[in-house]
Amino acid sequence: MLPYSTQFIEEDDIAAVVEVLRSSHLTQGSKVEEFEEAIAEYVGARYCVTFNSATSALLGAYAVAELKENDEIITTPISFVATSNMAVALGAKPIFCDVKMDGNIDENLIESLITSRTRAIVPVDFAGKPVAIETIKTIAKKHNLLVIEDASHALGSDINHRKIGSFSDMTVFSFHAIKPITTGEGGAIVTNNEEFASRLRLFRSHGIIKKHLWNSDMVSLGHNYRLTEFAAALGLSQLHKLDRFINIREHIARYYDEKFDKHPLFSTITIPNNEQSGRHLYPLLLNPELHCVKEEIFEELQSRALGVQVHYKPIYKNSFYKERFGEIRLMTTEHFYRSELSIPCHQKMSMEDAKVVVDTVLEVIEKYSYRGCSF
Ligand SMILES: *Cc1c(COP(=O)(O)O)cnc(C)c1O
C-alpha cells in the first residue's frame, strides 16, 4: 500500500536516536533545547516550546491564552478534531466558520462570528497551504483577539519567503509520524511572546520552577507533556532534511498538477506563486457528478494499493459535537467534504510511484464517471 503520507527515516536519523539512548539523559537534557532553538530559528520565531504531541501543545496554547468556560474561539471544521477538542477541554465553545474550496477558513466570514465572548481565532493551514494570515491578523487586532494557528500540516510552508510560525501569536506544529517531519509523537509551539513561552514551559512541566539547590517552587498548575531526548534527537535530525522533503513533495505535486490540469471530472488546489505549501497533503476535489460514487472510487483505489484518505469529516458532524453544541451545516464545508480525496504525496515516493498514482487515479475516476449522479 502506498499511503497518503508516511514517515521517512534514514540511517542518520536512527544513529541520532541511538546516540541519545547511550547517553546519560533520556529526558530533560540538552537535546530538547537544541531542537527548540533549531525550530525557532528555522521558522523565524523568538521562542519554541516542544510538547509530546500537537494535541497537548494546543491545550497549552489555549491554557496560556486563558481560555475559560463559555469563552469562544472561531475555528475551522475542516481539521483534525484536536484543534477544537482542546478548547472544549477548557470549557470553551468552538464557533465553526465556513471554509473556501482550498479547505482553509474563509477569512471574509470570520468577523460576522465575533461576539463579546470570542477570545481567539484558530485557523489551520490545510494540507500545508497558508491561510490568509494577514487578513486574519488584522481582524484579530481590531477586536483584540489572539491568533493561535494550528500549523500541524505546515512546517516549512511560507508566504513571500516568510515561514509559517512567524506570523501568529502562537503557532502549533505536529511531529506525529505522518506529519512534515516526525519525532514519533510530538509537537511544538512557536511564539515571539516571552510571557507565553515561559507559561507554556510551566504548563508542560508541573508548573515547577527551580530555585536554590534542592529548593523548587510549584507556581502554577502544570502537567507532564514533555518530549523525550531521543524524540528531540530524531526531530533535530529530521529538521535538517525538511527542505529536501518539501522539494520532493513539491516535485510530485507539480507533476500531479500538470497531469490533472483541466480534467473534466475533478480539480486540484492551486498554490499562489508567492507561497510555498509544505504539501503535507495532495487533495483532489471531485466534481459533483462523482460525489455519489466517491465510496466506490475510494474503495477501488484502496484495493489497488493507493492509501487514499478524506480530509476531513467536518468536526461538527461528530456525535460528540452534535450532542454538545447542536447540529450545524456550513455550505462550502459540506461541499468540500463531499469533494475531497487526498492521494499519496510524500518524501518516500519515487517519480515512478507518482506515475502509478496518476495512471491509477485517472483510470478509476474515469471508470466510475459513466454512472453519474443526479441531484
Ligand atoms: C495531526 C494534527 C493534530 C494533532 O497532532 P498530534 O501531534 O497527533 O497530537 C492537530 N491538528 C491538525 C490539523 C493535525 O493535522
Side-chain angles (χ1 to χ4, degrees):
M1 183 75 82
L2 193 59
Y4 72 88
S5 181
T6 188
Q7 74 274 16
F8 187 30
I9 303 294
E10 297 171 297
E11 284 308 316
D12 57 335
D13 296 309
I14 294 168
V17 171
V18 169
E19 191 188 319
V20 171
L21 291 176
R22 294 191 203 283
S23 77
S24 58
H25 284 72
L26 297 187
T27 185
Q28 294 170 288
S30 59
K31 276 291 170 203
V32 165
E33 267 173 47
E34 212 183 311
F35 183 38
E36 288 174 342
E37 276 163 24
I39 296 166
E41 194 191 326
Y42 180 84
V43 303
R46 229 168 275 153
Y47 308 100
C48 173
V49 184
T50 51
F51 283 79
N52 60 4
S53 71
T55 303
S56 53
L58 282 161
L59 185 64
Y62 294 141
V64 304
E66 294 180 40
L67 209 59
K68 292 191 254 328
E69 206 85 21
N70 298 321
D71 283 347
E72 293 173 358
I73 61 160
I74 297 172
T75 188
T76 169
I78 297 294
S79 184
F80 184 58
V81 288
T83 312
S84 55
N85 279 358
M86 291 302 101
V88 175
L90 296 176
K93 182 179 183 190
I95 303 297
F96 291 109
C97 181
D98 209 353
V99 298
K100 302 177 290 186
M101 282 309 282
D102 63 359
N104 277 340
I105 194 166
D106 188 340
E107 65 276 10
N108 296 314
L109 302 176
I110 293 173
E111 210 160 9
S112 66
L113 300 173
I114 295 173
T115 71
S116 59
R117 292 182 296 276
T118 311
R119 298 275 303 125
I121 304 171
V122 185
V124 173
D125 304 288
F126 179 79
K129 182 177 190 283
V131 293
I133 194 65
E134 292 298 354
T135 307
I136 293 171
K137 278 173 71 177
T138 304
I139 298 166
K141 197 166 175 197
K142 182 172 157 197
H143 297 271
N144 198 20
L145 307 173
L146 290 172
V147 179
I148 300 171
E149 186 175 356
D150 182 347
S152 292
H153 298 184
L155 184 65
S157 298
D158 73 52
I159 304 171
N160 296 320
H161 303 290
R162 186 173 157 192
K163 289 266 179 338
I164 294 300
S166 64
F167 293 94
S168 298
D169 294 294
M170 287 181 265
T171 303
V172 175
F173 297 112
S174 172
F175 310 127
H176 177 274
I178 62 156
K179 296 294 163 72
I181 63 165
T182 189
T183 59
E185 297 279 5
I189 302 176
V190 292
T191 181
N192 287 330
N193 184 314
E194 190 179 357
E195 170 86 19
F196 284 158
S198 64
R199 281 159 62 200
L200 286 167
R201 288 197 189 97
L202 288 172
F203 183 84
R204 169 180 69 180
S205 194
H206 309 292
I208 289 177
I209 50 173
K210 283 208 182 342
K211 299 202 126 176
H212 189 53
L213 301 178
W214 63 85
N215 193 14
S216 65
D217 193 21
M218 193 204 114
V219 296
S220 60
L221 199 60
H223 301 256
N224 178 357
Y225 292 143
R226 294 187 302 259
L227 198 63
T228 65
E229 287 285 287
F230 44 96
L234 178 56
L236 200 53
S237 176
Q238 289 257 301
L239 185 62
H240 295 139
K241 305 168 180 204
L242 176 56
D243 290 342
R244 167 160 61 98
F245 288 174
I246 291 176
N247 272 335
I248 298 170
R249 295 196 295 257
E250 181 66 29
H251 203 65
I252 294 167
R254 289 196 179 204
Y255 175 71
Y256 288 166
D257 285 350
E258 187 194 309
K259 293 291 172 188
F260 296 150
D261 188 38
K262 299 193 178 68
H263 197 280
L265 296 170
F266 64 91
S267 59
T268 60
I269 296 168
T270 306
I271 309 298
N273 283 331
N274 67 325
E275 293 179 4
Q276 172 70 57
S277 165
R279 302 286 195 175
H280 167 56
L281 302 173
Y282 191 92
L284 299 182
L285 302 174
L286 303 179
N287 286 0
E289 64 266 29
L290 287 176
H291 290 180
C292 65
V293 285
K294 186 170 162 181
E295 284 185 16
E296 283 95 327
I297 291 171
F298 185 98
E299 279 184 323
E300 176 142 357
L301 289 171
Q302 288 266 353
S303 77
R304 294 175 62 165
L306 295 199
V308 293
Q309 186 52 278
V310 171
H311 296 93
Y312 290 90
K313 172 176 167 176
I315 296 176
Y316 60 69
K317 286 179 113 67
N318 287 286
S319 33
F320 172 86
Y321 280 87
K322 287 199 262 187
E323 280 156 30
R324 174 133 354 167
F325 301 109
E327 296 207 20
I328 61 165
R329 281 175 68 84
L330 298 172
M331 237 169 60
T332 309
T333 297
E334 296 287 328
H335 186 62
F336 187 83
Y337 173 48
R338 281 194 295 268
S339 308
E340 205 273 349
L341 187 66
S342 303
I343 63 171
C345 182
H346 55 77
Q347 55 270 14
K348 216 173 169 178
M349 283 172 65
S350 64
M351 288 315 287
E352 287 75 55
D353 291 331
K355 190 175 181 305
V356 171
V357 172
V358 166
D359 293 345
T360 312
V361 161
L362 289 176
E363 194 189 318
V364 171
I365 285 181
E366 281 158 18
K367 171 179 162 187
Y368 283 96
S369 68
Y370 76 94
R371 295 238 320 247
C373 311
S374 51
F375 318 62

